[in-house]
Amino acid sequence: KKVGVLISGSGTNLQSLIDATRDPSQHIGAEIVIVISNKPNVEGLKRAEKAGIKTVVVKHTDYPSREEFDAAMTVELIAAGVEIVCLAGFMRILSNTFVNLWRGHLINVHPSLLPSFKGAHAHKDVLAAGVRVSGCTVHFVETDIDSGAIIEQAAVPVLPHDTVESLQERVKIAEHRIFPLALKYLATERIHLNDDNSITWNY
Ligand code: GRF
């Protein structure tokens, strides 16, 4: 399956997807054909270029509305023949039109054990709540933020002297393991998103 990855930053999850999809022993069944960033000059774009993958910058500030920004990304994705879209640290909210167009073929990695700690400050909220276990989730994207059907999760301990940075670093190690795994389930058609937002597992 041809995959497009949307990023906004360092792209360590992108790197894990590049490495896994290129490792024949992992049988991911997917090839990344395009990486789109809404921000220029980010580290993730350099990772894609180094891997010889087509990169496109679609700056949200160049478009008058969210719909038009998303439509510009869809044009690029379709031109590249994309069948699955992965959000890997993409920090823009997507329009309902975009989400509905790619529904069932659009997945995101979130740095908490959903449905706990939704939103853009998960690690900060986890530390403030004092929970001793956090983790990460790969899920189908729904029009409600961070609330689509869950494909894969991993638990990660929260340690007594953790900062946002130290916790993020530990959680990312788990993200880099489960994101390729979730992509594999989708690309090899082991999972299917139903209309009622449940997942059918074919194994
Ligand atoms: C990850 O922690 C992801 O869960 C969150 O943003 C971060 C992106 O990191 N949505 P990277 O760009 O993949 O390094």
Side-chain angles (χ1 to χ4, degrees):
K1 290 271 164 62
K2 290 188 175 178
V3 175
V5 183
L6 308 191
I7 61 164
S8 302
S10 65
T12 63
N13 277 288
L14 166 66
Q15 190 69 57
S16 76
L17 295 174
I18 293 171
D19 295 345
T21 51
R22 290 190 171 178
D23 174 359
S25 72
Q26 292 194 45
H27 305 283
I28 306 289
E31 178 202 359
I32 302 170
V33 295
I34 186 169
V35 172
I36 301 179
S37 174
N38 67 308
K39 288 192 181 156
N41 305 317
V42 292
E43 188 64 29
L45 286 169
K46 299 196 186 95
R47 293 175 188 275
E49 279 159 20
K50 208 169 164 195
I53 298 166
K54 178 185 166 75
T55 60
V56 180
V57 176
V58 181
K59 281 198 261 178
H60 58 276
T61 48
D62 286 349
Y63 296 87
S65 71
R66 205 183 284 288
E67 295 271 344
E68 282 155 284
F69 165 64
D70 289 358
M73 291 195 295
T74 290
V75 166
E76 295 289 350
L77 293 167
I78 288 173
V82 164
E83 301 162 277
I84 295 172
V85 180
C86 293
L87 306 183
F90 182 70
M91 300 309 281
R92 301 291 302 170
I93 293 169
L94 293 161
S95 64
N96 290 358
T97 310
F98 186 94
V99 171
N100 290 329
L101 182 67
W102 295 100
R103 188 178 184 281
H105 309 271
L106 175 60
I107 62 178
N108 179 51
V109 61
H110 180 79
S112 77
L113 288 175
L114 291 174
S116 293
F117 306 108
K118 297 177 180 180
H121 313 286
H123 298 307
K124 186 166 163 267
D125 297 344
V126 160
L127 293 176
V131 295
R132 299 298 312 277
V133 177
S134 188
C136 50
T137 303
V138 182
H139 62 93
F140 281 109
V141 175
E142 261 304 319
T143 48
D144 286 347
I145 303 290
D146 297 332
S147 59
I150 292 169
I151 302 169
E152 191 60 274
Q153 293 186 302
V156 174
V158 181
L159 301 181
H161 303 292
D162 261 336
T163 60
V164 166
E165 289 72 29
S166 64
L167 178 58
Q168 170 169 269
E169 197 183 327
R170 194 176 312 115
V171 170
K172 273 194 181 184
I173 294 167
E175 292 181 34
H176 301 161
R177 185 173 59 77
I178 68 167
F179 206 178
L181 194 58
L183 175 59
K184 176 177 174 165
Y185 295 154
L186 185 57
T188 58
E189 297 177 11
R190 284 196 232 178
I191 53 171
H192 173 82
L193 180 64
N194 301 312
D195 286 344
D196 68 357
N197 222 14
S198 63
I199 293 176
T200 298
W201 293 81
N202 301 312
Y203 74 95

